[in-house]
Amino acid sequence: MNNMFVLSKHKDLLLNILEKYGTPLYVYFTDIIKERIMNLKEILDQNFENYLIAYACKACSLLYICKYISSFGLGAEVVSDGELYIALKAGFERNKIVFDGVSKSDYEIKYALSQDIYTINCESFDEVKVISSIAEGLGMDVNIGLRVNPEIKLQTHNYLKTGTKYNKFGIDFNDAIMILDLINKIKNVKLKGFHFHLGSNIKSPEPFIVAIDKISKLIHLAFKKGYKIEYLDIGGGIPILSNKEGLHNYLFPILEFIRKKLLSNVEDLRIILEPGRSIVGDSAVLLTRVNYVKNVDKRKWILIDAGMNDLIRPALYGVFHPIECLSCVSNRIENYSIGGPICESSDVFAKDIKLPTVRRGDILAFLRVGAYGISMSSNYNSRRRPAVVVIENNNFRLIKRRENLEDLISNEIV
Ligand code: LLP
């Protein structure tokens, strides 16, 4: 099952829903989320006894979606007090919540400590010291992990690389070795694991293997120094893989390497994964209405009612989200570019693509927008953020209403 399939299956229903809730409108299909979770669980079950899937809430932190995901027993990866708050509201178990983040503020650390979550992955020795002193103030001991930068060469968009040399994330490998001699001097901090996150949308499994090979040296060293390491957290980054076979082919070399390289020596090591995109990416479409079709020089522009504030990925990363016309009736195919209503030249979704003849009022669907779509939306140009509907077992329900004009100023003080 994928985005295209559910789109054609529910075409009439979608056009009805639009009448009710208007556009732009995000529509999530929970059946796809379920399928992706089941596929991942099945593959992990075949390989590990002790693992945790910590869903990366940043991909889509809608409460309803998070609740749905937590109902499968998954954990959560959070990177702010807001995500932690939502994760708790969504029912993720505390001992399955991992707190990451490159620049955690004191109030976030305090909140995380007070919520008794599984672990905080630290990105510097200074952070370890800050956590220790905040925990001391609360009279607590704290479990932490170290996020190490494996400095791997990667193939993905430059903005989506985090585990490469010279970026702000994680701790240098050699510094991590030094830190191992310092952490055991801090009484209330227990080092329980290691973490890396290479980046997002990592095209092939090889970089994971190189990174695990590197980090396993640290794990062995930590054991030698007397630390009781409980987990290895390999972060997120799995791309959207629509079928089980594709996911299996991607994951199997990674999981097999972990089993041979690590689990044969370190029994009971818990393997944590932090997938975001691979779970929700393919589970939503963004529906938008055509306001105008106009010619500028030789280009035919479709101007729609969704903007980069609703879906920023094309403007920010230059990525293309496949586009379908739900209402077009013509058999003629034409060349179009697609732009939004925002006063920026980057508010463009596609250039020179082919679609059946499009007219004012037609409905277009952007596919595969379930991850980092609604979660990166904003109010830029004082636009109201869109409504969100879920389709579940052929029924639909509104899970987020469209913002109204009052919402735009509701927290302002004049
Ligand atoms: N863990 C950590 C520490 C992360 O920073 C991220 C994503 C994930 C897990 C989840 O990665 P995923 O499985 O979704 O690849 N806005 C960009 C993606 C940024 C990802 C940031 N970190 C986009 O629209 O493609």
Side-chain angles (χ1 to χ4, degrees):
M1 210 187 323
N2 62 25
N3 237 196
M4 274 302 270
F5 173 80
V6 285
L7 196 66
S8 50
K9 181 174 162 197
H10 295 294
K11 195 166 151 181
D12 293 336
L13 179 63
L14 288 172
L15 291 171
N16 277 339
I17 294 173
L18 279 184
E19 290 307 310
K20 204 163 173 180
Y21 299 114
T23 48
L25 182 74
Y26 274 92
V27 182
Y28 275 81
F29 301 89
T30 47
D31 284 353
I32 296 188
I33 299 179
K34 182 179 182 176
E35 190 184 274
R36 298 300 142 87
I37 292 176
M38 290 312 189
N39 288 349
L40 185 57
K41 274 185 145 186
E42 196 182 310
I43 295 168
L44 289 170
D45 279 339
Q46 286 161 3
N47 284 278
F48 301 139
E49 303 217 328
N50 189 3
Y51 71 84
L52 172 68
I53 306 170
Y55 165 65
C57 292
K58 61 177 83 58
C60 172
S61 53
L62 291 165
L63 188 56
Y64 187 90
I65 299 297
C66 287
K67 263 189 171 170
Y68 185 77
I69 292 173
S70 79
S71 74
F72 293 92
L74 266 62
E77 183 262 356
V78 299
V79 290
S80 67
D81 59 347
E83 281 187 359
L84 176 52
Y85 175 77
I86 293 169
L88 292 167
K89 285 261 176 224
F92 287 105
E93 287 169 49
R94 287 165 201 275
N95 65 3
K96 292 183 178 172
I97 298 180
V98 176
F99 191 34
D100 293 341
V102 65
S103 180
K104 302 174 190 80
S105 294
D106 291 14
Y107 64 85
E108 291 176 308
I109 293 169
K110 204 168 179 181
Y111 181 48
L113 289 174
S114 70
Q115 295 307 317
D116 198 21
I117 59 173
Y118 178 58
T119 190
I120 304 179
N121 285 324
C122 303
E123 306 224 2
S124 66
F125 187 56
D126 276 352
E127 185 188 328
V128 177
K129 287 190 286 188
V130 168
I131 291 176
S132 161
S133 85
I134 296 175
E136 203 179 326
L138 297 170
M140 297 174 65
D141 286 350
V142 53
N143 290 342
I144 62 153
L146 292 182
R147 175 173 176 174
V148 179
N149 181 352
E151 298 180 0
I152 300 292
K153 287 207 171 85
L154 289 176
Q155 258 197 329
T156 185
H157 190 283
N158 266 342
Y159 290 3
L160 304 187
K161 294 176 183 172
T162 52
T164 51
K165 227 175 159 70
Y166 311 123
N167 69 52
K168 66 177 176 176
F169 296 98
I171 300 168
D172 279 1
F173 190 82
N174 289 328
D175 289 350
I177 296 177
M178 272 162 31
I179 292 173
L180 285 185
D181 289 326
L182 302 173
I183 291 188
N184 51 12
K185 300 198 172 70
I186 306 180
K187 288 270 164 333
N188 63 345
V189 166
K190 304 269 171 296
L191 176 64
K192 291 289 180 190
F194 289 96
H195 172 223
F196 67 79
H197 170 69
L198 297 178
S200 202
N201 213 8
I202 311 291
K203 299 278 184 288
S204 71
E206 286 78 25
F208 280 95
I209 292 173
V210 179
I212 291 161
D213 195 27
K214 256 186 147 169
I215 305 297
S216 63
K217 294 189 181 86
L218 264 182
I219 296 180
H220 288 129
L221 189 63
F223 268 105
K224 265 197 206 139
K225 289 183 187 284
Y227 290 102
K228 294 197 171 54
I229 298 300
E230 257 178 42
Y231 71 86
L232 168 64
D233 179 343
I234 65 170
I238 307 169
I240 296 174
L241 296 162
S242 307
N243 59 47
K244 206 191 311 178
E245 205 192 342
L247 184 66
H248 181 271
N249 291 343
Y250 185 97
L251 281 181
F252 189 73
I254 303 173
L255 306 185
E256 192 182 45
F257 189 77
I258 292 176
R259 268 195 288 121
K260 286 197 178 139
K261 183 86 192 179
L262 272 168
L263 300 186
S264 53
N265 305 318
V266 187
E267 255 179 61
D268 221 29
L269 189 70
R270 189 184 207 191
I271 304 301
I272 303 179
L273 292 89
E274 302 174 344
R277 189 190 312 274
S278 54
I279 290 186
V280 292
D282 204 17
S283 72
V285 296
L286 172 62
L287 303 179
T288 172
R289 193 177 292 270
V290 175
N291 280 335
Y292 304 98
V293 181
K294 78 169 177 183
N295 291 312
V296 181
D297 196 8
K298 292 197 178 77
R299 202 167 247 153
K300 205 169 234 185
W301 283 95
I302 299 175
L303 299 168
I304 56 177
D305 67 0
M308 63 195 276
N309 72 300
D310 302 301
L311 175 65
I312 202 175
R313 304 192 70 250
L316 190 58
Y317 312 115
V319 294
F320 174 70
H321 281 272
I323 299 158
E324 290 287 310
C325 180
L326 292 194
S327 56
C328 293
V329 283
S330 170
N331 288 328
R332 213 175 121 187
I333 300 293
E334 298 196 57
N335 243 6
Y336 290 109
S337 296
I338 303 184
I342 299 230
C343 309
E344 300 248 4
S345 298
S346 57
D347 185 29
V348 166
F349 293 92
K351 280 200 170 148
D352 301 318
I353 59 157
K354 296 205 178 328
L355 282 175
T357 301
V358 170
R359 297 185 197 290
R360 172 175 162 80
D362 273 331
I363 301 298
L364 303 185
F366 290 102
L367 307 191
R368 299 184 145 195
V369 297
Y372 310 106
I374 187 79
S375 64
M376 291 180 83
S377 66
S378 77
N379 291 114
Y380 186 41
N381 274 203
S382 294
R383 285 170 49 81
R384 296 175 282 146
R385 271 176 297 192
V388 186
V389 165
V390 151
I391 295 189
E392 203 164 340
N393 306 324
N394 296 325
N395 299 317
F396 67 88
R397 61 183 287 177
L398 184 70
I399 61 161
K400 190 177 186 206
R401 66 160 171 81
R402 185 177 311 286
E403 287 176 349
N404 56 38
L405 294 175
E406 189 55 31
D407 288 329
L408 290 175
I409 51 167
S410 61
N411 55 3
E412 293 194 32
I413 301 154
V414 282

